[in-house]
Amino acid sequence: MLDLLLQANRLKVMPRTGWMIRGIVHPESVAAHSYGVAFLSLILAQAVDEPLDRARLLTIALLHDLPESHITDIPYPALRFIAPAAKRTAELNALNEILRAFPFGAEYRELWLDFEDRRTPEGRLVHDADRLEVLLQAFVYERSTGNRQLKEFWDSTSESYFEYPASRQLFAVLRQQREEEMTR
Amino acid sequence: MLDLLLQANRLKVMPRTGWMIRGIVHPESVAAHSYGVAFLSLILAQAVDEPLDRARLLTIALLHDLPESHITDIPYPALRFIAPAAKRTAELNALNEILRAFPFGAEYRELWLDFEDRRTPEGRLVHDADRLEVLLQAFVYERSTGNRQLKEFWDSTSESYFEYPASRQLFAVLRQQREEEMTR
Amino acid sequence: MLDLLLQANRLKVMPRTGWMIRGIVHPESVAAHSYGVAFLSLILAQAVDEPLDRARLLTIALLHDLPESHITDIPYPALRFIAPAAKRTAELNALNEILRAFPFGAEYRELWLDFEDRRTPEGRLVHDADRLEVLLQAFVYERSTGNRQLKEFWDSTSESYFEYPASRQLFAVLRQQREEEMTR
Amino acid sequence: MLDLLLQANRLKVMPRTGWMIRGIVHPESVAAHSYGVAFLSLILAQAVDEPLDRARLLTIALLHDLPESHITDIPYPALRFIAPAAKRTAELNALNEILRAFPFGAEYRELWLDFEDRRTPEGRLVHDADRLEVLLQAFVYERSTGNRQLKEFWDSTSESYFEYPASRQLFAVLRQQREEEMTR
Amino acid sequence: MLDLLLQANRLKVMPRTGWMIRGIVHPESVAAHSYGVAFLSLILAQAVDEPLDRARLLTIALLHDLPESHITDIPYPALRFIAPAAKRTAELNALNEILRAFPFGAEYRELWLDFEDRRTPEGRLVHDADRLEVLLQAFVYERSTGNRQLKEFWDSTSESYFEYPASRQLFAVLRQQREEEMTR
Amino acid sequence: MLDLLLQANRLKVMPRTGWMIRGIVHPESVAAHSYGVAFLSLILAQAVDEPLDRARLLTIALLHDLPESHITDIPYPALRFIAPAAKRTAELNALNEILRAFPFGAEYRELWLDFEDRRTPEGRLVHDADRLEVLLQAFVYERSTGNRQLKEFWDSTSESYFEYPASRQLFAVLRQQREEEMTR
C-alpha cells in the first residue's frame, strides 16, 4: 500500500504542462488540479437533476490522472505526434502496474476507463468537471499573471463540449465574468 | 457557484506552513495535501473491515481544509498562542460565509465538524488519513531534501494516535521504511 | 540569544499572504517587507518636521512583525472571521514567549504596542510607513506581473489614512505615478 | 524562422523530469541541460584522439533534445509503458513539423538520428556526453540538496556504457570524487 | 577537466539579472540563455550568404558567457558605475583561471575576445545572435507575464545595431510580431 | 523620494549569490539579509558594554548593502578577479547616484564608509553582525537543505574575525550548536 501512496504522491511534483509551455511560472501540480476536479465534481453534482453515485463520482475524479504519476502530463498539443492508441495503451499499462497488487485494481481500472470513454453519468460529469477546472484555472492565471497565451483555451471550448446543462451554465457564467474582467 | 469554486481554488496557492517554517523551499500547497488526504482515505478504507460510506468519507476529505482558503494554514506550533476555541470559531465563521448561499451548506458544515470532532467512522478515518499523509510527505521531503528538522513529526506520533488498526499498520510500515532509508 | 535570532530568521521564509491569495507567485517574505518598512521609515522621517527619535523609530520598524515568526502572516481579509482581540492576544503571547528571557523584553513589548496603538510620533510614523510600503510593493508587482487583483489596495486607501503630511505627499506621488504607468 | 526559434525557446521552461520525480525542487531546464551537453561535448572532444568534425558534433548536441519542445521530457522509467517505436515515431513526427519549412531540415533530421542510433563518431560522442552530463548534474544535486534518490543513476551506469576511452576516464574521475565527497 | 565542467555547470544556477531587476520571477539561467544564443547562431548562419566556420561559430557561442560562472551576470545598467576596462579585465582574469590548465586555453581566450571585439565574421554573428536572443526572450516574457518594464529593450535597439542583413531581417519580423501581439 | 524607495525595493529581488553558487535553490534576497543584519545588530548591541548610538547603528545596517541595488551582489570568490579599489569605486559611484538629490546624502555616504572601513564602534558592530548573520543563515540552510558546500564559511571564520567579545561569544555558541546538530 505504501508503494501505491508514494506513487500517487508524485502527482504533487508533476507540473501541469499546458500552463508551463505557455509560460506560467511554477504552475499548479497535477495533484492540485486533481483536487480541483474532485471538488468541482462534488459541487457540480449538486446542480445536476439526474441521480448520481457520489462515491463513484469522487473516486473517478481522484483516479483520473493517476497514470500521469508515471507517464507525466504530456500536453495536449503534443498528442498530434503520438498515436492516440499509443497514449491510451501507455496509461493503461502504467495503471495496471500501479494497481496490480490490489484486489480493487480491476474496479479502479474500470473507473478510469469510465472517465476516458464517458461511459456512465459519473464518468461524464467528471469529464465536464475536468474541462471546467482548466477554464477556471485559466481565468485565475489570466487575472493574476497577465499571460496572453491562454486565450486559446476559451477559443477552443464551446457549450457543446459539455454533457450536462449544469456544466454549460457554469461555463457560460465563467466565460462572462472572464470577459468582463479582461476587458476592463 | 463560481465564487465558491474560486474560493476553493485559493488552496492551490496556500503553502502548508508546517513545512515552510522548517525550511522546505516551495512546499506543497494545501490543495495538493487535500488531494493526498482524499486519495489516502480512499485506499485506507479498502483495508478497513468496518462498513464505511465512501461518499461521506471522500466529501469530508475534500472539505476538511476548506476554511483555510480564508484563514490560511496556521502552523500547529502557533496554536499554543491562540485559544483553541478562537481558531475553531474563526474556521466555522469562514465556512459559514463560504457556504451560506447553498442549500447543501448545513450538510457540509456537519461533515466538517465530523472531521474536527471525529464523530463518525468516516470522520475518524479521514482524521487518521490526515496524519498519515503528513508523515508520508515528511518521509518524501526527508529523502529528497536532506532536511533535518522533520524528525519531530515522527517523535510526536505514536500508534495510539490512530483510531483504525489499518492506520496503525500503515504507520508502522511507513516508519520502518523511513528508518531504514535514513540510517543507510 | 541564538534562539531569538533563529526565531526572527523565520521571517525570511514567511510569505506575505496578502500577495499570495491574489496570485502573486513566490511573493516577498515578511523579512523583506520589514526591511522595506524600516528603510521607508528612515527616509520618510527625513521629511517630517516634528522631532523624532530615530533609534526608537527603527527599532519599532524592525520589531513590528516579529510575532508573525510564530503566528504567520494572517491576511487582512481573514480578520473578519477572527475576533480582533483574539489576534492581538495571540501576537502578544507569541511576543512574550520570544522575549521572555531578555531584560529588554518589556521595552520591546512596549514598542510593539506603540506601533499597534499608534501611541507616539514614532509608532505613528512606522504605521504610515507600513501602509506606504504595501502600496509601493503593489505598484512594483502591478508593473512587473500584470496582476489585476491589487487594485483594491488603492481603492481602500485614501489620504486620510495617514497621520503625517509627508506620508500623504508620498502617497499622492506614488498613486499618480502608478496611474500614469498603468493607463499607458 | 521566428517560429522555429520560439519552439526551441520552449526548452527553457521544460523541466528535466528525471530530477523532478525524485524530488529535486525546480530542477534545471532542458535548455540548460542541452547547454551542458554541448559544452561537455566540446571539452570531451579535446581528449579524443580520433579526428572529429566539431561543427557536426556541436550541431548534434544543440539539436538532440529539440523534439522535447513539443513532446516534453518523458522520464526514462516511463518508457517501459510506451513502445520504444512509439516514442521514436512521436519525436520524429515533432522534428519533421518543426523543420518542415527549412531547406536544412533533412540534414538536421539526419543529425538527430545520428545521435539516436550512434551512427558516426560525432553522434557517439554526444551520446557519451549526454550521459556524463546527467551524472555531473546528479553529483551537483547530491552535494547541494541532500537528495538520497539519485543513487540509482550511479548504480545503473558502468564504464561499458561509454564508447570513448576519454568518456570512461571522465566517468571514473567523476564517480571517485562523488564517492569521496558523499562518504565524508 | 572535471573542475572546468563544474565551473561551467554553475551557469545553470546563475540568473540573468537583466530580467531579475525588472521583476521577472525566477528568470532563465545564463546556461539557458547560452543555449539560446548557440541555437540562434546555428539557425541564423543558415541565412547568411558569407561563408562561415560553423565550428568556430558554435564554440564562440558556448564560451561567450563562461566568465560569468565566476563574476556573475552584472546587469547592463550597472556598467555605468564600473570602468569598462575593469569589467573586461575581471572577465579575462576569470577566463584565464578557468582555462589555465588546458592546452586549448589560448585558443578559447582568442575566441572569447573575438566575440567581445567582433573581430571575425563568426564573432560578429554571435554578437548579433546574443542581442536577438535577448529580444526574443523579452517578447516571450512580455506575452507570458504582463511585465511592463521590458519596453526599453525594444526602444534601445535599432536595425543599425546588427551587422548582418539576416539579423536585421529577423529583428524586423520579431519587432513586428511583438507589436501586433502587444497592441491586440 | 519615490525613486530612492524603488531603488531600495530592488534588493527584494536580488538573490544573495554566495548561496546561489553553492546550489541553494531560491536563496534569501539581499533585503531579507539586510533585515537580518539590522535585527542582529539591534540584539547584539544589548550585549555590548560600550555605549553605542543605536540610531547610527541601525541606519548603517539598513544602508550597508544599498549599492547592491545597482551593482548586484558580486560573490566573494569573484573578488579575486576584480581589483578591490574597482569594486569600492563602483559601489561609491552607485551610492552617489542613488543619494545625489538628497540633503542627507553626505551623511549616508559617511555611514556607508563607516561600515566598509570599520571607523566607529557602530560601524564595527554592524561589520560583526554582517558576518554573524551569514553564519546563522549557513546553519539554517545546512539543517534544512542538506547542502554540503557551506562548510567553507565555518572553516574560513575564526573568533579573531570579530571585534566585540559579544560577537565572539555568539559565534562560539552558534558554531557549537551547528556542530552538535550536524554530527548527530
Side-chain angles (χ1 to χ4, degrees):
Chain A
M1 193 190 287
L2 185 50
D3 287 345
L4 170 57
L5 296 173
L6 285 168
Q7 187 62 34
N9 184 274
R10 278 197 183 177
L11 296 180
K12 292 185 181 181
V13 296
M14 296 278 174
R16 291 269 294 170
T17 54
W19 311 126
M20 208 170 70
I21 62 178
R22 289 171 183 87
I24 297 292
V25 173
H26 303 319
E28 59 165 343
S29 64
V30 175
H33 163 70
S34 283
Y35 171 75
V37 173
F39 188 81
L40 206 153
S41 299
L42 176 69
I43 301 303
L44 195 57
Q46 303 277 8
V48 166
D49 293 330
E50 217 171 314
L52 288 162
D53 176 344
R54 198 200 274 180
R56 182 180 182 88
L57 182 79
L58 299 182
T59 307
I60 292 172
L62 294 172
L63 293 175
H64 85 286
D65 276 337
L66 192 55
E68 296 190 3
S69 65
H70 273 307
I71 308 292
T72 71
D73 174 33
I74 300 175
Y76 184 78
L79 298 184
R80 70 184 185 279
F81 306 115
I82 303 171
K87 191 194 173 222
R88 186 188 173 101
T89 302
E91 296 197 336
L92 259 177
N93 286 347
L95 200 62
N96 280 334
E97 195 192 271
I98 294 170
L99 299 171
R100 69 170 183 273
F102 298 95
F104 49 82
E107 181 205 344
Y108 283 13
R109 263 193 307 279
E110 185 262 314
L111 292 173
W112 185 79
L113 287 166
D114 184 353
F115 170 77
E116 284 285 303
D117 301 339
R118 281 169 277 176
R119 291 178 182 174
T120 71
E122 291 80 18
R124 283 194 284 276
L125 192 65
V126 178
H127 197 269
D128 278 8
D130 190 41
R131 186 71 186 178
L132 287 165
E133 218 280 327
V134 168
L135 293 168
L136 183 75
Q137 191 58 51
F139 172 47
V140 168
Y141 280 140
E142 282 180 312
R143 68 185 194 176
S144 67
T145 72
N147 189 298
R148 290 159 176 265
Q149 298 184 283
L150 308 183
K151 203 171 154 287
E152 67 188 88
F153 287 101
W154 302 99
D155 292 346
S156 67
T157 311
S158 66
E159 293 202 3
S160 66
Y161 181 94
F162 300 100
E163 301 240 359
Y164 285 90
S167 309
R168 268 176 244 137
Q169 198 177 341
L170 178 56
F171 169 62
V173 170
L174 179 55
R175 187 173 52 184
Q176 191 184 339
Q177 181 156 344
R178 184 248 176 199
E179 261 160 42
E180 274 168 26
E181 276 200 32
M182 288 303 115
T183 56
R184 215 180 289 159
Chain B
M1 193 190 288
L2 184 51
D3 287 345
L4 171 58
L5 297 173
L6 285 169
Q7 187 62 33
N9 185 276
R10 278 198 185 176
L11 295 179
K12 292 185 180 182
V13 297
M14 296 277 174
R16 290 271 291 169
T17 54
W19 311 125
M20 210 170 69
I21 63 179
R22 290 170 184 88
I24 298 292
V25 173
H26 303 318
E28 58 165 343
S29 64
V30 175
H33 163 70
S34 283
Y35 171 76
V37 173
F39 188 81
L40 205 153
S41 298
L42 177 69
I43 302 301
L44 195 57
Q46 304 275 8
V48 166
D49 293 331
E50 216 171 314
L52 288 162
D53 177 344
R54 198 200 274 180
R56 181 178 182 90
L57 182 79
L58 298 182
T59 307
I60 292 173
L62 294 172
L63 293 175
H64 86 286
D65 278 337
L66 192 55
E68 296 190 4
S69 64
H70 273 307
I71 308 291
T72 72
D73 174 33
I74 300 175
Y76 183 78
L79 298 185
R80 69 183 185 280
F81 306 116
I82 303 172
K87 189 189 175 227
R88 186 188 173 102
T89 302
E91 297 197 336
L92 260 176
N93 287 346
L95 201 61
N96 280 334
E97 193 190 274
I98 294 170
L99 300 170
R100 70 169 183 274
F102 298 96
F104 50 82
E107 180 204 346
Y108 283 15
R109 264 193 307 278
E110 186 263 317
L111 291 173
W112 186 80
L113 287 166
D114 184 355
F115 170 77
E116 284 286 303
D117 301 338
R118 281 168 277 176
R119 291 179 182 174
T120 71
E122 290 80 15
R124 284 194 282 276
L125 193 65
V126 177
H127 197 268
D128 278 8
D130 190 41
R131 186 71 185 177
L132 287 164
E133 218 279 330
V134 168
L135 293 167
L136 182 76
Q137 191 58 51
F139 172 47
V140 168
Y141 281 140
E142 282 180 311
R143 69 185 195 177
S144 67
T145 71
N147 189 298
R148 291 158 175 267
Q149 298 185 282
L150 309 183
K151 205 173 153 287
E152 67 188 85
F153 287 101
W154 302 99
D155 293 346
S156 67
T157 311
S158 66
E159 292 202 2
S160 66
Y161 181 95
F162 300 100
E163 301 240 3
Y164 285 90
S167 309
R168 270 176 242 137
Q169 199 177 337
L170 178 56
F171 170 61
V173 170
L174 178 55
R175 188 173 53 183
Q176 192 184 337
Q177 181 156 344
R178 185 247 176 200
E179 263 159 41
E180 274 167 26
E181 276 200 32
M182 288 302 115
T183 57
R184 213 181 289 158
Chain C
M1 193 190 287
L2 185 51
D3 287 346
L4 171 57
L5 297 173
L6 285 169
Q7 187 62 34
N9 185 275
R10 277 198 186 175
L11 295 180
K12 292 185 181 182
V13 296
M14 295 278 174
R16 292 269 292 170
T17 54
W19 311 125
M20 209 170 69
I21 62 178
R22 288 171 184 87
I24 298 292
V25 173
H26 303 319
E28 58 165 343
S29 64
V30 175
H33 163 69
S34 283
Y35 171 76
V37 173
F39 187 82
L40 205 153
S41 299
L42 177 69
I43 301 303
L44 195 58
Q46 303 276 8
V48 166
D49 293 330
E50 217 172 313
L52 288 163
D53 177 344
R54 198 200 274 180
R56 181 178 182 90
L57 181 80
L58 299 181
T59 307
I60 292 173
L62 294 172
L63 293 174
H64 85 286
D65 277 337
L66 193 54
E68 296 190 2
S69 65
H70 272 308
I71 308 292
T72 72
D73 175 32
I74 300 175
Y76 183 78
L79 298 186
R80 71 183 184 277
F81 305 116
I82 303 172
K87 190 189 175 226
R88 187 188 173 103
T89 302
E91 297 198 335
L92 260 176
N93 286 347
L95 201 61
N96 280 335
E97 193 191 272
I98 294 170
L99 299 171
R100 70 170 183 275
F102 299 96
F104 49 81
E107 180 204 345
Y108 284 14
R109 262 192 308 277
E110 186 262 316
L111 292 172
W112 186 79
L113 287 165
D114 185 355
F115 169 77
E116 285 284 304
D117 301 338
R118 281 169 278 175
R119 291 179 182 174
T120 71
E122 291 80 15
R124 283 194 283 276
L125 193 66
V126 178
H127 197 269
D128 278 10
D130 190 41
R131 186 71 185 177
L132 286 164
E133 218 280 328
V134 168
L135 294 168
L136 183 75
Q137 190 59 49
F139 172 46
V140 168
Y141 281 139
E142 281 181 312
R143 69 186 193 176
S144 67
T145 71
N147 189 298
R148 291 159 175 265
Q149 298 184 283
L150 308 182
K151 203 171 153 287
E152 66 189 87
F153 287 100
W154 301 98
D155 292 345
S156 67
T157 311
S158 65
E159 293 201 2
S160 65
Y161 180 94
F162 300 100
E163 300 241 0
Y164 286 91
S167 309
R168 271 176 242 134
Q169 199 177 339
L170 178 56
F171 169 62
V173 170
L174 179 55
R175 188 173 52 183
Q176 192 183 338
Q177 181 155 345
R178 184 246 177 200
E179 263 160 40
E180 274 168 25
E181 275 200 33
M182 287 303 115
T183 55
R184 212 181 290 159
Chain D
M1 193 191 288
L2 184 51
D3 286 345
L4 170 58
L5 297 173
L6 285 169
Q7 187 63 32
N9 185 275
R10 278 198 185 177
L11 295 180
K12 293 184 180 183
V13 296
M14 295 278 174
R16 291 270 292 169
T17 53
W19 311 124
M20 209 170 70
I21 62 178
R22 288 169 184 88
I24 298 292
V25 173
H26 302 319
E28 60 166 341
S29 65
V30 175
H33 163 70
S34 283
Y35 171 76
V37 173
F39 188 81
L40 205 153
S41 298
L42 176 70
I43 301 302
L44 195 58
Q46 303 276 8
V48 166
D49 294 330
E50 215 171 315
L52 288 163
D53 177 345
R54 198 200 273 180
R56 181 179 182 89
L57 182 79
L58 299 182
T59 306
I60 292 173
L62 294 172
L63 293 175
H64 85 286
D65 277 337
L66 192 56
E68 296 189 4
S69 64
H70 273 307
I71 308 292
T72 73
D73 175 33
I74 299 175
Y76 184 78
L79 298 185
R80 70 183 184 279
F81 305 117
I82 303 171
K87 191 193 173 225
R88 185 187 174 103
T89 302
E91 298 198 334
L92 260 176
N93 287 347
L95 200 61
N96 279 335
E97 193 191 272
I98 295 170
L99 300 170
R100 70 169 184 273
F102 298 96
F104 49 83
E107 181 204 345
Y108 283 14
R109 262 193 307 278
E110 186 263 316
L111 292 173
W112 186 80
L113 287 166
D114 184 354
F115 170 77
E116 284 284 302
D117 302 338
R118 282 169 278 177
R119 290 178 183 175
T120 71
E122 291 79 16
R124 284 193 284 276
L125 193 65
V126 177
H127 197 268
D128 278 8
D130 189 41
R131 186 72 186 175
L132 287 164
E133 218 279 328
V134 168
L135 293 167
L136 182 76
Q137 191 58 50
F139 172 47
V140 168
Y141 281 140
E142 281 180 312
R143 68 185 194 177
S144 67
T145 71
N147 189 298
R148 291 157 175 265
Q149 298 184 282
L150 309 183
K151 203 171 153 285
E152 69 188 85
F153 287 101
W154 301 98
D155 292 346
S156 68
T157 311
S158 67
E159 292 201 2
S160 65
Y161 181 94
F162 300 100
E163 300 239 1
Y164 285 90
S167 309
R168 272 176 241 135
Q169 200 177 337
L170 178 57
F171 169 61
V173 170
L174 178 56
R175 187 174 53 183
Q176 193 184 337
Q177 182 156 342
R178 184 247 177 199
E179 262 160 40
E180 275 168 25
E181 277 200 33
M182 289 301 115
T183 58
R184 212 181 290 159
Chain E
M1 191 191 288
L2 185 51
D3 287 346
L4 171 57
L5 297 173
L6 285 168
Q7 187 62 33
N9 185 274
R10 277 198 185 174
L11 296 180
K12 292 185 182 181
V13 296
M14 296 278 174
R16 292 269 293 169
T17 54
W19 311 125
M20 209 170 70
I21 62 178
R22 290 171 183 86
I24 297 292
V25 173
H26 303 319
E28 58 166 344
S29 64
V30 175
H33 164 70
S34 283
Y35 171 76
V37 173
F39 188 81
L40 205 153
S41 298
L42 176 70
I43 302 302
L44 194 58
Q46 304 275 9
V48 166
D49 293 332
E50 219 171 311
L52 287 162
D53 178 344
R54 197 200 276 180
R56 181 179 182 89
L57 181 80
L58 298 182
T59 307
I60 291 172
L62 294 172
L63 293 174
H64 86 285
D65 277 337
L66 192 55
E68 296 190 3
S69 65
H70 272 306
I71 308 293
T72 70
D73 174 34
I74 300 175
Y76 184 78
L79 298 185
R80 70 184 184 278
F81 306 115
I82 303 171
K87 192 194 172 222
R88 186 187 173 103
T89 302
E91 296 198 335
L92 260 177
N93 286 347
L95 200 62
N96 280 334
E97 194 191 271
I98 294 170
L99 299 171
R100 69 170 186 274
F102 299 96
F104 50 81
E107 180 204 345
Y108 284 13
R109 263 192 307 277
E110 187 262 315
L111 291 173
W112 186 80
L113 287 166
D114 184 355
F115 169 77
E116 284 285 302
D117 302 338
R118 281 168 277 176
R119 291 179 182 173
T120 70
E122 290 81 16
R124 284 193 283 276
L125 193 65
V126 178
H127 196 270
D128 278 9
D130 190 41
R131 186 72 185 175
L132 286 164
E133 218 279 329
V134 168
L135 293 168
L136 183 75
Q137 191 59 50
F139 172 47
V140 168
Y141 281 141
E142 282 180 311
R143 68 186 194 177
S144 67
T145 72
N147 189 297
R148 290 159 175 264
Q149 297 184 283
L150 308 182
K151 205 173 151 285
E152 67 188 86
F153 287 100
W154 301 99
D155 292 345
S156 68
T157 310
S158 66
E159 292 202 2
S160 65
Y161 180 94
F162 301 100
E163 300 241 0
Y164 285 90
S167 309
R168 269 176 243 136
Q169 199 177 338
L170 178 56
F171 170 62
V173 170
L174 179 55
R175 188 173 51 182
Q176 192 184 338
Q177 181 156 346
R178 184 248 178 199
E179 263 160 40
E180 274 168 25
E181 276 199 34
M182 288 303 116
T183 55
R184 213 181 290 158
Chain F
M1 193 190 289
L2 184 51
D3 286 347
L4 170 57
L5 297 173
L6 285 169
Q7 187 62 33
N9 185 274
R10 277 197 185 178
L11 296 180
K12 292 185 181 182
V13 296
M14 296 278 174
R16 291 270 292 169
T17 55
W19 310 124
M20 209 170 69
I21 62 178
R22 289 170 184 87
I24 298 291
V25 173
H26 302 319
E28 59 166 342
S29 64
V30 175
H33 163 70
S34 283
Y35 171 76
V37 173
F39 188 81
L40 205 153
S41 299
L42 176 69
I43 302 301
L44 195 58
Q46 304 275 8
V48 166
D49 293 331
E50 216 171 316
L52 288 162
D53 177 345
R54 199 200 273 181
R56 182 179 181 89
L57 182 80
L58 299 182
T59 307
I60 292 173
L62 294 172
L63 293 174
H64 85 286
D65 277 337
L66 192 55
E68 296 190 4
S69 65
H70 272 308
I71 309 292
T72 71
D73 175 33
I74 300 175
Y76 183 78
L79 297 185
R80 70 184 185 279
F81 305 115
I82 303 171
K87 191 192 174 222
R88 186 188 173 101
T89 303
E91 297 198 334
L92 260 176
N93 287 347
L95 200 61
N96 281 334
E97 194 191 272
I98 294 169
L99 300 171
R100 69 169 184 274
F102 299 94
F104 50 82
E107 180 204 345
Y108 283 14
R109 263 193 307 278
E110 186 262 318
L111 292 173
W112 186 80
L113 287 166
D114 185 354
F115 170 77
E116 285 284 303
D117 301 338
R118 283 168 277 178
R119 291 178 182 174
T120 71
E122 290 79 15
R124 283 194 284 276
L125 193 65
V126 177
H127 197 268
D128 278 9
D130 190 40
R131 185 72 185 175
L132 286 164
E133 218 279 330
V134 168
L135 293 168
L136 183 76
Q137 190 59 50
F139 172 47
V140 168
Y141 281 140
E142 281 180 312
R143 68 186 194 176
S144 67
T145 71
N147 189 297
R148 291 157 174 267
Q149 298 185 281
L150 308 182
K151 203 172 153 288
E152 67 189 86
F153 287 99
W154 301 98
D155 292 346
S156 68
T157 310
S158 66
E159 292 201 2
S160 65
Y161 181 94
F162 300 100
E163 302 240 2
Y164 285 91
S167 309
R168 269 176 242 134
Q169 200 177 336
L170 178 56
F171 170 61
V173 170
L174 178 55
R175 187 173 52 183
Q176 193 184 335
Q177 181 155 343
R178 185 246 177 201
E179 262 159 40
E180 273 167 26
E181 276 199 34
M182 289 300 116
T183 57
R184 213 181 290 160

